[in-house]
């Protein structure tokens, strides 16, 4: 071959390869960590269902520019550690009340007992309410963390215990319950029981060894933690809406171009809708499974639920009033839920 022609071909080949490398670098994906609680099991963990859907949708809608790396089972630390990581590094996290409340104690207002009648009213409260917008603003202002979605983790909370069937507040007298946070301690005390904060990762052993007699979680978490092995009774009081919170580092999200940010937020919205539909269709199935495992299911009557509400709500509101929470958050939440009379 002519030496000049050989050099030209080699130069052309090198140029094509270099262009390919540059193009590859230009479209190299940004990897973002997403941490959350619970096992990577779609049958037992609704949060994992949300996370896996979000991963797929983000990568699809951003044309691969953003890839999520999932860290289930609290692999990156317990709640407060993960929130600190989200504040200080470009990452995402699905936090529970235990992670959120030290930064925005106002989130406790959304856990007022019997605030919602059903899924629809709860979703409207978080999607459209002025109270929740104020919580989002407070979190961003204080920490730089963006509150991106309220993620259902399995329906409404139910009580379990291994001592006796619970169908009224008086049945709580003398029992010891695992609490997720101080607000749950206040609720148990309103019913005459005691509450002790215990991390989720220690709940099974605490119940097995008698450190606690009972706990409250949606049926999904009772299954995920195999709590039916150490709990005999399940009370479907539907006392609180069960949710966690997708949060992200605000500087990271602000740093994306408009198209990427819009694609990411569209993925969050779609993943959340998919998770809600998945969750709602599984609630009855999960309760049936717990029954099959030998748990006695107690379904309180309307009168019994009213007794829980009449005892639980005033006590919880009193506890909220003792916290460092601007009363306007309580007023906004009650108005959004159509329950202004409670503030009177």
């Amino acid at each position: 071959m002519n030496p000049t022609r050989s050099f030209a071909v080699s130069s052309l080949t090198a140029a094509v390869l270099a262009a390919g490398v540059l193009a590859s670098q230009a479209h190299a994906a940004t990897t973002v960590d997403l941490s959350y609680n619970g096992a990577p099991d779609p049958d037992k963990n609704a949060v994992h269902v949300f996370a896996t859907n979000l991963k797929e949708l983000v990568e699809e809608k951003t044309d691969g520019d953003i890839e999520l790396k999932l860290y289930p089972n609290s692999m990156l630390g317990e709640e407060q550690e993960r929130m600190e990581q989200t504040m200080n590094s470009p990452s995402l996290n699905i936090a529970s009340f235990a992670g959120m409340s030290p930064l925005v104690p106002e989130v406790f207002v959304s856990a007022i007992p019997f605030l919602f009648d059903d899924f629809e009213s709860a979703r409207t409260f978080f999607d459209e309410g002025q109270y929740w917008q104020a919580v989002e603003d407070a979190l961003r202002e204080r920490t730089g963390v963006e509150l991106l979605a309220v993620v259902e983790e399995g329906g409404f909370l139910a009580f379990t215990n291994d001592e006796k069937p619970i169908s009224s507040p008086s049945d709580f007298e003398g029992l010891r319950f695992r609490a997720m946070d101080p607000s749950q301690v206040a609720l148990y005390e309103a019913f005459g029981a005691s509450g002790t904060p215990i991390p989720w990762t220690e709940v099974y052993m605490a119940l097995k060894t008698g450190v606690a007699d009972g706990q409250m979680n949606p049926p999904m978490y009772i299954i995920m933690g195999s709590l039916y092995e150490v709990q005999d009774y399940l009370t479907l009081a539907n006392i609180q809406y069960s949710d966690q919170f997708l949060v992200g580092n605000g500087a990271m999200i602000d740093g994306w171009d408009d198209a990427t940010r819009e694609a990411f937020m569209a993925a969050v919205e779609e993943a959340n809708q998919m998770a809600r539909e998945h969750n709602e269709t599984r609630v009855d199935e999960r309760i049936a499974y717990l029954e099959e495992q030998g748990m006695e299911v107690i379904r309180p009557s309307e009168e019994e639920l009213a007794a829980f509400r009449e005892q639980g709500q005033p006590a919880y509101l009193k506890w909220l009033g003792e916290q460092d929470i601007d009363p306007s958050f309580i007023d906004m939440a009650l108005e959004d839920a159509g329950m202004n009379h409670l503030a009177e």
Side-chain angles (χ1 to χ4, degrees):
M1 180 183 288
N2 183 315
T4 305
R5 176 175 168 76
S6 176
F7 176 76
V9 170
S10 298
S11 299
L12 179 61
T13 302
V16 168
L17 288 172
V21 169
L22 288 172
S24 173
Q25 289 175 342
H27 290 90
T30 299
T31 300
V32 178
D33 294 344
L34 170 58
S35 56
Y36 52 97
N37 297 317
D41 184 338
D43 291 328
K44 295 182 178 179
N45 188 357
V47 174
H48 177 68
V49 172
F50 170 79
T52 52
N53 286 338
L54 182 62
K55 173 180 169 63
E56 184 177 323
L57 287 164
V58 164
E59 292 169 10
E60 172 192 313
K61 290 181 182 296
T62 65
D63 293 325
D65 287 346
I66 299 176
E67 291 182 357
L68 301 188
K69 187 170 184 181
L70 305 185
Y71 289 92
N73 273 333
S74 309
M75 288 169 63
L76 298 185
E78 296 291 356
E79 291 283 352
Q80 293 189 33
E81 291 176 86
R82 302 202 318 266
M83 286 298 290
E84 287 173 9
Q85 291 162 13
T86 310
M87 290 165 62
N88 298 319
S89 64
S91 58
L92 299 167
N93 175 38
I94 302 175
S96 75
F97 276 79
M100 288 279 288
S101 58
L103 305 172
V104 274
E106 294 87 352
V107 75
F108 283 133
V109 176
S110 69
I112 293 171
F114 299 99
L115 194 60
F116 313 115
D117 292 330
D118 50 30
F119 282 115
E120 184 180 355
S121 58
R123 292 163 183 168
T124 301
F125 177 89
F126 288 107
D127 292 347
E128 302 174 15
Q130 58 174 346
Y131 154 76
W132 196 247
Q133 183 60 58
V135 172
E136 291 179 4
D137 294 343
L139 180 66
R140 181 65 194 255
E141 183 180 331
R142 294 171 196 171
T143 67
V145 171
E146 195 80 29
L147 183 44
L148 300 165
V150 176
V151 182
E152 286 181 8
E153 58 173 356
F156 285 79
L157 272 63
F159 296 118
T160 71
N161 83 101
D162 65 349
E163 293 294 318
K164 58 185 177 180
I166 292 177
S167 57
S168 67
S170 61
D171 295 327
F172 277 90
E173 191 67 41
L175 296 180
R176 301 183 305 276
F177 277 77
R178 174 263 176 172
M180 178 175 63
D181 54 53
S183 75
Q184 288 191 352
V185 173
L187 186 60
Y188 290 129
E189 290 177 350
F191 294 142
S194 60
T196 303
I198 297 172
W200 168 249
T201 50
E202 300 172 19
V203 171
Y204 182 94
M205 193 54 64
L207 295 170
K208 183 175 182 179
T209 57
V211 171
D213 300 314
Q215 60 89 54
M216 69 173 171
N217 258 305
M220 183 207 77
Y221 260 73
I222 298 165
I223 295 170
M224 183 170 69
S226 300
L227 304 188
Y228 52 82
E229 296 177 357
V230 290
Q231 299 281 270
D232 296 327
Y233 305 102
L234 172 69
T235 301
L236 301 177
N238 288 1
I239 195 159
Q240 290 169 327
Y241 177 72
S242 175
D243 52 1
Q244 294 193 35
F245 313 96
L246 175 68
V247 294
N249 180 275
M252 171 187 72
I253 295 167
D254 290 346
W256 295 334
D257 60 53
D258 290 346
T260 300
R261 195 180 313 111
E262 288 171 14
F264 174 80
M265 291 309 300
V268 169
E269 186 174 346
E270 188 173 336
N272 207 19
Q273 185 58 35
M274 291 168 67
R276 287 174 172 182
E277 291 170 3
H278 172 85
N279 175 54
E280 194 166 354
T281 61
R282 300 292 299 279
V283 172
D284 291 341
E285 177 186 319
R286 289 173 179 140
I287 294 168
Y289 176 82
L290 292 171
E291 257 182 314
E292 290 167 8
Q293 301 310 306
M295 294 195 80
E296 180 180 332
V297 177
I298 297 95
R299 294 174 170 83
S301 66
E302 285 299 319
E303 293 77 14
E304 290 167 335
L305 288 175
F308 279 121
R309 181 167 55 249
E310 288 162 13
Q311 195 162 326
Q313 277 182 345
Y316 193 90
L317 285 167
K318 180 177 182 292
W319 177 82
L320 280 177
E322 296 165 355
Q323 308 310 305
D324 186 21
I325 295 173
D326 188 319
S328 68
F329 280 86
I330 300 172
D331 294 339
M332 281 189 287
L334 293 176
E335 183 176 339
D336 288 344
M339 302 178 73
N340 315 51
H341 62 281
L342 287 180
E344 295 171 1

